[in-house]
């Protein structure tokens, strides 16, 4: 399970670097918060979870870890798409923005709660 997390983290690293280069070369800095979230939450947090699950394999084998994996990897991209909409809120339906930010954010937050619970339960 840890290797899957690390591979997803590397994908976020690639996206974050590419997005940062796009912002730099087009001088469109209004998405700097999204760029930071891609790298900090996508790359760093996802990678760290992968490292923890690689070290503590008992925690990685639980149903909590499986549910966390799916909630994280569905919720985070949906949240990031919602954050992409922030500078153009006047051009998109508000329900779409709320669905992405609230739905993705809640799924991601739940995945982190599952991770915390799993760590306290299985990591000795």
């Amino acid at each position: 399970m840890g290797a899957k997390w690390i591979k997803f983290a590397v994908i976020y690293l690639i996206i974050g670097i590419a997005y940062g280069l796009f912002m730099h070369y087009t001088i469109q800095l209004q998405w700097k918060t999204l760029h930071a979230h891609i790298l900090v939450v996508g790359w760093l947090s996802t990678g760290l979870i992968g490292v923890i699950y690689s070290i503590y394999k008992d925690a990685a084998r639980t149903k909590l870890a499986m549910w966390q994996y799916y909630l994280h990897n569905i919720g985070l991209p949906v949240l990031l798409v919602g954050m992409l909409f922030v500078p153009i809120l006047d051009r998109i339906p508000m329900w779409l923005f709320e669905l992405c930010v609230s739905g993705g954010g809640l799924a991601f937050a739940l995945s982190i709660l599952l991770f915390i619970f799993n760590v306290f339960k299985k990591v000795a």
Side-chain angles (χ1 to χ4, degrees), residues 22-30:
F22 163 77
M23 287 179 9
H24 172 75
Y25 288 114
T26 61
I27 312 172
Q28 294 189 31
L29 304 179
Q30 66 268 34

Side-chain angles (χ1 to χ4, degrees), residues 4 11 17 23 26 35 37-38 53 60 73 101 105 108 116 118 121:
K4 288 181 183 180
I11 292 169
I17 297 298
M23 287 179 9
T26 61
H35 172 64
H37 274 76
I38 293 168
Y53 280 152
N73 288 303
V101 173
F108 174 73
I116 291 167
N118 197 21
K121 185 176 175 185

Side-chain angles (χ1 to χ4, degrees), residues 52-53 56-60 115 117-124:
I52 290 168
Y53 280 152
Y56 299 99
K57 296 187 185 317
D58 285 345
F115 174 69
F117 185 75
N118 197 21
V119 165
F120 277 97
K121 185 176 175 185
K122 290 291 185 177
V123 173

Side-chain angles (χ1 to χ4, degrees), residues 16 20 36 48 51 61-62 88 100 105 108-110:
L48 183 57
V51 169
R61 292 186 191 109
T62 65
I88 56 168
C100 290
F108 174 73
L110 182 58

Side-chain angles (χ1 to χ4, degrees), residues 37-107:
H37 274 76
I38 293 168
L39 289 173
V40 173
V41 180
W43 160 238
L44 292 175
S45 297
T46 306
L48 183 57
I49 291 168
V51 169
I52 290 168
Y53 280 152
S54 294
I55 295 169
Y56 299 99
K57 296 187 185 317
D58 285 345
R61 292 186 191 109
T62 65
K63 286 194 183 224
L64 281 176
M66 182 197 67
W67 278 102
Q68 183 218 348
Y69 177 80
Y70 289 111
L71 283 169
H72 184 97
N73 288 303
I74 292 169
L76 183 56
V78 172
L79 171 62
L80 295 174
V81 167
M83 292 179 74
L84 183 64
F85 294 147
V86 169
I88 56 168
L89 279 177
D90 57 334
R91 291 180 263 162
I92 62 157
M94 189 53 76
W95 66 265
L96 181 58
F97 171 73
E98 280 299 325
L99 177 69
C100 290
V101 173
S102 295
L106 287 171

